[in-house]
Amino acid sequence: METTSRTAEQQASAGVGRKVDGYLLAAFPWYGLDEAFTGPRWLMQVGAAADGTVEHGATGHGEGPTIKAESPQDERFAVVVTVASRPVRRSADGTGVLEATSVSTAAWLAGSGLLAHTWPTQMDRTLRQDWLDQQTTLAWELADDLGGGAWSELMLPVDGVPTSFAYRESEYGWVLAGSASEDPDGVHIGAYGRGMSAYGLGFSVVKDIASYEG
């Protein structure tokens, strides 16, 4: 999209860090952990459609995951994924249809995000891709069945309002997903982490996304 590209160029020339540009172009609010969390905050990356429209992105909290840690249990991080609520719509090139986003979308992005930052320490490098492919397929199947037995309900505050999340744990960490509000134009929230308990976390709108960049 020409306007999107021009805006990004203007921001870059104004000195805005490259990583934050995509976040600033989003037409929806970003979520992160609320003020009760006082540790480091950092940006990850955004996902955009073919026309440049920002669809989702993630904010990190705590220690940045190292992927292959000697002791993954010692890592302490939580990543919050924000997904724009989108209806079924035509693709940018008009040749296909894009599925509507949902809580399952947030669950899938969170689940695959956790896997991307996991490397079983006993696994050889040549086997990890096979493992990752298998686990990613499983994560999609689980995300598509949030009412199934693999998930439990966890109530956490979103902007101070108790909100229901689908929650599950694995040996690699935890994943959760829910919606920020009942507003159909709102956003879906996913999260994943390791070493930081999901119990007691709270989410809120990020007032200044650039503050995560430092």
Side-chain angles (χ1 to χ4, degrees), residues 4-44:
T4 300
S5 301
R6 185 180 300 127
T7 303
E9 291 170 359
Q10 291 171 345
Q11 290 170 340
S13 64
V16 178
R18 204 177 341 172
K19 185 169 278 192
V20 79
D21 288 346
Y23 292 83
L24 295 172
L25 294 174
F28 54 88
W30 295 106
Y31 275 79
L33 297 186
D34 61 20
E35 294 179 354
F37 175 77
T38 58
R41 297 172 182 255
W42 29 276
L43 296 177
M44 298 193 69

